[in-house]
Amino acid sequence: MSRRLPIYILLDCSESMAGEPLEAVEVGVYTMISALKKNPYAIETAFLSIITFDAKARTLVPLTEISAVAPPSLSIRPGTSLGAALDLVRESISRDVKQTTLESKGDFKPMVFIMTDGQPTDDWQGPIARLKAVKPHLAQIYAIGCGDDVDFETLSQIADVCIHNKTLSTESVAKLFVWLSASVQSQSATPESAISLEKKIPLEKGMELINTDSPPKFTGQNKRLSFHVTCLNTKQPYMMRFKLYPGGSFFMADDVVKLPLDFFSDGAMKSPPVDTSLLQGVHICPFCGADGWGKCGFCGHLFCLTPQTPSRIVCPVCETNLALSSNTDSFSIDGSQG
Ligand SMILES: [Zn+2]
Ligand SMILES: [Zn+2]
């Protein structure tokens, strides 16, 4: 068998990717795979694996020759288990990639691309230490952080090269995958090259190289907040998102995104509570059109409400009978972890 170039793509499918960003990533992956299937070097050399991470890490595409890769469909879950994804990629490389021995040349050095929009929510120090402990150096790791809330202090410790893709718009994600596709094609043509990809393939507009020796300080102050809400009428889950108002003293209503019905199947995780006095603006329930929301005093879950909602309701999550109070004082609610 000829020497292979193993490529691992790790995709963040946490809830902060819900909606347009995830659709853009799905299209990007599809477009990249189509392009690689037309490239003679990639067909000859590149093998692709796709791993997603959210509450868990999952191998959606095991290491497969390009011509046989089917683009996966992606779905979102709570959490950003990057540590679990790093363990999974290390195990896969150790199992699937042929090492060079005295008798024969092994596969080319694997490339790992991590695409994330936030901060890991699991332990990543253990997994990255295990990955780096393997000698010789197991893979060249590129981390591509997208959007406003990326923790580059952490990513700089994980990756050899960090790139900031400044937004998660459909257009910018498409450009990112153009770069990724060109990079894989270039490496497939010269798989022994140790030149870092961003030096060979110019970064697209909106992408910027991060200095991993002095990455931007991560303050922990997110610019976005999101909350899970259950529709009182249909019991379907959705997420309402807020973004930090310029100047930074409160959060404005941004958008709502429907969540899949099985969204909580791997368990919801909670992040530090947020005082509702910091939240401004109106979200419309995407299922019934209600323009407000309330909190169950028993289970703490949020549900949609209107001024016309009867004063006695049943919590759509814990099914406790509730008497609605018109208390307008601020209270604290649990943010979701993304
Ligand atoms: Zn509703
Ligand atoms: Zn409840």
Side-chain angles (χ1 to χ4, degrees):
M1 194 160 72
S2 58
R3 302 177 74 191
R4 308 175 301 173
L5 173 64
I7 295 152
Y8 291 85
I9 298 185
L10 275 52
L11 299 172
D12 183 342
C13 288
S14 64
E15 59 196 348
S16 46
M17 295 291 292
E20 187 186 316
L22 197 77
E23 285 164 25
V25 170
E26 208 168 68
V27 172
V29 170
Y30 179 89
T31 311
M32 179 185 72
I33 291 172
S34 306
L36 296 179
K37 284 183 176 179
K38 295 190 189 106
N39 179 284
Y41 297 111
I43 294 170
E44 184 68 29
T45 314
F47 278 61
L48 185 68
S49 172
I50 298 177
I51 290 172
T52 60
F53 56 100
D54 39 70
K56 292 178 185 156
R58 298 174 174 83
T59 301
L60 293 196
V61 176
L63 198 62
T64 306
E65 60 186 301
I66 284 293
S67 60
V69 173
S73 72
L74 306 174
S75 62
I76 54 158
R77 292 279 186 285
T80 307
S81 301
L82 178 54
L86 293 171
D87 273 337
L88 198 55
V89 81
R90 176 180 46 81
E91 286 158 14
S92 172
I93 292 174
S94 305
R95 184 185 60 232
D96 301 331
V97 175
K98 198 171 156 229
Q99 302 299 321
T100 295
T101 62
L102 286 173
E103 290 79 37
S104 68
K105 285 267 193 194
D107 291 325
F108 297 109
K109 177 176 280 193
M111 294 198 296
V112 174
F113 296 95
I114 303 167
M115 185 178 163
T116 179
D117 73 334
Q119 310 110 39
T121 54
D122 65 345
D123 165 43
W124 55 269
Q125 276 108 336
I128 195 65
R130 288 192 280 279
L131 190 60
K132 286 185 170 167
V134 183
K135 300 282 182 245
H137 190 37
L138 207 54
Q140 178 78 358
I141 304 178
Y142 295 82
I144 302 161
C146 302
D148 299 325
D149 288 332
V150 183
D151 176 0
F152 280 109
E153 285 189 277
T154 294
L155 290 183
S156 291
Q157 295 179 57
I158 292 172
D160 302 293
V161 176
C162 282
I163 292 165
H164 188 195
N165 195 51
K166 289 174 189 167
T167 73
L168 268 168
S169 69
T170 301
E171 191 193 11
S172 88
V173 172
K175 282 185 180 158
L176 165 62
F177 277 94
V178 167
W179 179 82
L180 203 55
S181 174
S183 296
V184 172
Q185 293 180 43
S186 162
Q187 195 70 16
S188 302
T190 54
E192 250 157 328
S193 165
I195 302 170
S196 194
L197 291 172
E198 78 288 353
K199 296 190 177 116
K200 295 193 283 190
I201 309 293
L203 297 179
E204 297 281 329
K205 194 164 169 279
M207 293 169 75
E208 182 184 274
L209 189 66
I210 297 289
N211 179 353
T212 50
D213 294 325
S214 62
K217 275 260 165 286
F218 181 67
T219 60
Q221 158 80 76
N222 283 341
K223 297 189 179 71
R224 288 167 194 281
L225 290 177
S226 57
F227 302 95
H228 302 140
V229 188
T230 301
C231 174
L232 192 58
N233 295 298
T234 68
K235 297 195 178 182
Q236 287 170 283
Y238 64 99
M239 187 166 65
M240 51 180 191
R241 297 196 277 211
F242 292 83
K243 59 181 174 193
L244 192 64
Y245 192 75
S249 56
F250 64 92
F251 289 85
M252 274 305 286
D254 188 9
D255 58 357
V256 291
V257 191
K258 292 180 182 177
L259 295 172
L261 271 177
D262 62 350
F263 182 71
F264 296 114
S265 57
D266 289 329
M269 289 190 286
K270 288 181 176 176
S271 46
V274 178
D275 193 278
T276 54
S277 65
L278 295 175
L279 307 176
Q280 308 268 319
V282 172
H283 286 99
I284 306 290
C285 170
F287 298 106
C288 75
D291 60 358
W293 47 275
K295 176 187 172 183
C296 171
F298 288 88
C299 70
H301 275 94
L302 306 183
F303 46 79
C304 72
L305 276 185
T306 69
Q308 288 75 42
T309 304
S311 61
R312 294 202 163 269
I313 58 161
V314 175
C315 170
V317 179
C318 71
E319 301 189 334
T320 305
N321 288 305
L322 303 173
L324 289 180
S325 77
S326 53
N327 180 0
T328 52
D329 292 346
S330 70
F331 51 91
S332 103
I333 55 177
D334 293 322
S336 67
Q337 195 170 36

